[in-house]
Amino acid sequence: MSAQSPLHMTEQRRVILEELRKVRSHPTADKIYTRVRRRMPRISLGTVYRTLDLLAAQGMIRKIESAGTRRRFDGTVEPHYHIRCLECGRIADLPPGEMPGLEAHFRNQTDYDVVGHTLELLGTCPACRKDRTEGKDVGVRPASEQ
Amino acid sequence: MSAQSPLHMTEQRRVILEELRKVRSHPTADKIYTRVRRRMPRISLGTVYRTLDLLAAQGMIRKIESAGTRRRFDGTVEPHYHIRCLECGRIADLPPGEMPGLEAHFRNQTDYDVVGHTLELLGTCPACRKDRTEGKDVGVRPASEQ
DNA sequence: TTGGTTGCAAAGTCTTTGCAGACAT
DNA sequence: ATGTCTGCAAAGACTTTGCAACCAA
């Protein structure tokens, strides 16, 4: 959750962090693996997973555990929501900041102590909207671009 | 997404639906499997998965694909949010209804067409709060009750 | 008979982990 | 030396699927 012992910024870790920060998409571990391997062909997927967990634990990146899809990672740590395209799976950032009054709205509706929330918008991205107006029947594409 | 061909309400399907509706918890497929097996010892886990998918596709139950946890199912189809206990994983229903103005709030913040959202509150359930005031160090229990 | 349904086992997908060797301090 | 980190392969957790037998219309 919070920063721990000073972490050894090894070559692998540095490259993984760089590659994640370089993209504005929200890649899965294996997409990152593919990119990193271009620079470090011998790196293993296990190292990628371990490093991503580690960086997230240090607060240097964020895990996106989006409902019903596989885990993705986000090089931007400033709190912000995401919107996911229901057709292609692409995830985009919304501007930083929380929805005002959201948790307060629910405080008196539950006997739990409310300490946080997850919110994800769902929609159609510009590319898929365009495909649709062009009459392309893309069906539901696998959530696996970039 | 919506109701399809009239489905054969076989014994297996009826029992699975009954068992799910009988509980107010939000069980995983294998919890349902365990319960159903008490009445139909020869049923397979594969059938349980297939049936739950089918019932969800028919709109008779709901899938809960909660961020970062395994899939659960909900016998209540009326739209409502959930709150999940971060300590024990228990999921409770919030009263039916959507947060007013939520999607509208984001419409001008994205170039996606907004068509929906997922929202999950996070918190501490009454049982875990009690454990804590009693000084029990339960750590993070696996999200696997009921 | 025809097409849907089931149990079973196997396969699949995504992620974590044990281990021995490599590396850094 | 000592403890950390890595690649590799295997294991794990959860879910889906191929298939032959089965069942209902």
Side-chain angles (χ1 to χ4, degrees), chain B residues 46 49-50 53 70-71:
Chain B
Y49 271 106
R50 274 186 295 231
D53 277 353
R70 50 186 303 204
R71 181 177 307 163

Side-chain angles (χ1 to χ4, degrees), chain A residues 9-25:
Chain A
M9 191 45 75
T10 63
E11 181 72 358
Q12 285 87 341
R13 291 171 183 178
R14 194 173 51 67
V15 171
I16 288 168
L17 185 57
E18 276 178 21
E19 290 298 324
L20 178 56
R21 288 194 171 155
K22 185 182 292 181
V23 296
R24 66 155 44 51
S25 64

Side-chain angles (χ1 to χ4, degrees), chain B residues 46-64:
Chain B
T47 296
V48 172
Y49 271 106
R50 274 186 295 231
T51 300
L52 291 168
D53 277 353
L54 186 77
L55 295 174
Q58 300 283 130
M60 302 176 73
I61 66 172
R62 285 177 62 197
K63 285 188 193 180
I64 310 177

Side-chain angles (χ1 to χ4, degrees), chain A residues 20 25 50 53-54 58 72 75 81 99 105:
Chain A
L20 178 56
S25 64
R50 275 186 296 233
D53 276 352
L54 185 77
Q58 302 282 130
R72 287 161 177 269
Y81 300 120
M99 166 97 188
H105 179 260

Side-chain angles (χ1 to χ4, degrees), chain B residues 2-73:
Chain B
S2 55
Q4 331 249 26
S5 52
L7 115 154
H8 292 188
M9 190 45 75
T10 63
E11 181 73 359
Q12 286 87 340
R13 291 172 183 177
R14 194 172 50 68
V15 171
I16 288 169
L17 185 56
E18 276 178 20
E19 289 298 322
L20 178 56
R21 289 194 169 154
K22 187 182 290 181
V23 295
R24 68 155 42 52
S25 63
H26 301 79
T28 56
D30 65 289
K31 294 289 179 193
I32 297 168
Y33 174 55
T34 301
R35 291 189 137 265
V36 169
R37 233 181 341 176
R38 301 210 281 255
R39 295 170 59 183
M40 308 185 81
R42 313 256 336 178
I43 198 171
S44 71
L45 184 55
T47 296
V48 172
Y49 271 106
R50 274 186 295 231
T51 300
L52 291 168
D53 277 353
L54 186 77
L55 295 174
Q58 300 283 130
M60 302 176 73
I61 66 172
R62 285 177 62 197
K63 285 188 193 180
I64 310 177
E65 319 224 55
S66 173
T69 71
R70 50 186 303 204
R71 181 177 307 163
R72 287 161 176 269
F73 295 89

